[in-house]
Amino acid sequence: MVAIRASLATLFLAACASAQQLSSTLTQIKDFGPNPRNVTMYIYVPKNITTNAPIMVVPHWCHGTAKDAFNGRPYASLGDQYGFISIYPDSPNKADQCWDVSSNASLTHNGGGDALSIVNMVRWTIEKYGADKDRVFVTGTSSGAMMTNVLLGSYPDVFAAGSAWAGVAFGCFAGNGYDVWSDACATGKIIKNGTEWAAMVKNAFPGYTGFRPKMQVLHGTADTVLYPQNLMEEIKEWTSVFGYSETPEETTKDTPLKGWTRYSYGPKFEAYEAAGVTHDIPNQADLVMDWFDLKCKATMSRMCYSRASG
Ligand SMILES: *[C@@H]1O[C@H](CO)[C@@H](O)[C@H](O)[C@H]1NC(C)=O
Ligand SMILES: *[C@@H]1O[C@H](CO)[C@@H](O)[C@H](O)[C@H]1NC(C)=O
Ligand SMILES: *[C@@H]1O[C@H](CO)[C@@H](O)[C@H](O)[C@H]1NC(C)=O
Ligand SMILES: *[C@@H]1O[C@H](CO)[C@@H](O)[C@H](O)[C@H]1NC(C)=O
């Protein structure tokens, strides 16, 4: 397994060589508040940021780093253009750089784990920059997508939306420890019905009945690292959380690329199935930006998507 995950890192790095023209630099923040797991925080704040800027959290993949995610995704330069801050956490699991998506701590609201450390980075940024607490977003690939599922499940009170690329459902890696690799989940053998998955999400924050962030999930049908069954499990989980039918309301073929199919289940959940695509799924920043409504300029007649409007 380690060998497979190492070769993946190479793939991602090869795809991540694009240079960004940036107004500012990536900065490490040492004291951002309670950090039970010693997760390292990096932040990118555009030079001409105004108050109420949205925040985008970009957790890296296994064997990747905060800097790899910063260099390999265009969100810093898009932040310059559209006025949002991006946060790049770095995993404390130095053996494999995977996120803690297994511990009960991470799978519990304010329970600790890597998830709480990341949320405390968000809380610090809102305070420090007067950022918009109603427009906090998270997107990641692979382990970063697993963390996206975990953050939306454990912190529905913090995030406005998530976009998970080639990940697994919230709770699928649940295990005893902070860095458990679940072969059973990875190979698509952890199968539950929507009610069971949704119960895991709801148990993460018992009694919470407030706003739930919307979710976008994407997966390749030729993924041999996190088998495509995991897309089905994410679909069952989130449709059940939102009370949607598991039958899509709308199916759109060949979007955004040939062979990719978009299934929309309702305003808060959509899934993309990418035919023939492996675990090295090519990230499409436009899809993420549109889902998060981050190109929006508010006008009298149009509010941008946020926890308050959505
Ligand atoms: C975090 O770092 C502190 C200070 O270096 C150390 O005492 C503590 O044991 C670390 N915690 C974890 C979970 O690694
Ligand atoms: C910040 O400045 C750049 C360069 O002048 C400009 O393109 C961008 O639109 C500005 N961003 C915001 C949010 O105003
Ligand atoms: C998970 O953690 C929460 C909060 O720390 C605790 O209340 C709960 O009992 C734990 N659940 C399990 C199964 O260990
Ligand atoms: C889901 O699984 C649970 C527990 O196995 C079962 O009780 C329930 O009937 C199932 N729900 C559906 C809709 O199949």
Side-chain angles (χ1 to χ4, degrees), residues 35-38 92 178:
N35 184 14
R37 287 270 301 149
N38 290 346
Y178 291 105

Side-chain angles (χ1 to χ4, degrees), residues 210-239:
F211 174 93
R212 287 262 169 205
K214 64 179 189 173
M215 179 61 135
Q216 175 186 63
V217 297
L218 308 97
H219 217 106
T221 64
D223 192 329
T224 53
V225 178
L226 301 175
Y227 285 26
Q229 182 65 33
N230 286 302
L231 176 66
M232 301 308 134
E233 302 310 308
E234 286 176 307
I235 290 171
K236 285 186 274 178
E237 179 167 82
W238 293 107
T239 53

Side-chain angles (χ1 to χ4, degrees), residues 48 79-84 297:
N48 55 354
D80 274 342
Q81 198 178 343
Y82 295 104
F84 63 87
K297 283 210 189 313

Side-chain angles (χ1 to χ4, degrees), residues 128-140:
K128 168 86 177 171
Y129 294 99
D132 191 343
K133 65 174 176 42
D134 290 328
R135 296 183 77 200
V136 179
F137 302 99
V138 54
T139 185

Side-chain angles (χ1 to χ4, degrees), residues 104-105 108 111:
N104 176 46
T108 304

Side-chain angles (χ1 to χ4, degrees), residues 251-263 272-275:
T251 299
T252 317
K253 291 210 177 291
D254 295 323
T255 183
L257 301 176
K258 194 164 166 45
W260 292 39
T261 304
R262 171 181 180 264
Y263 303 97
Y272 288 81
E273 187 179 42

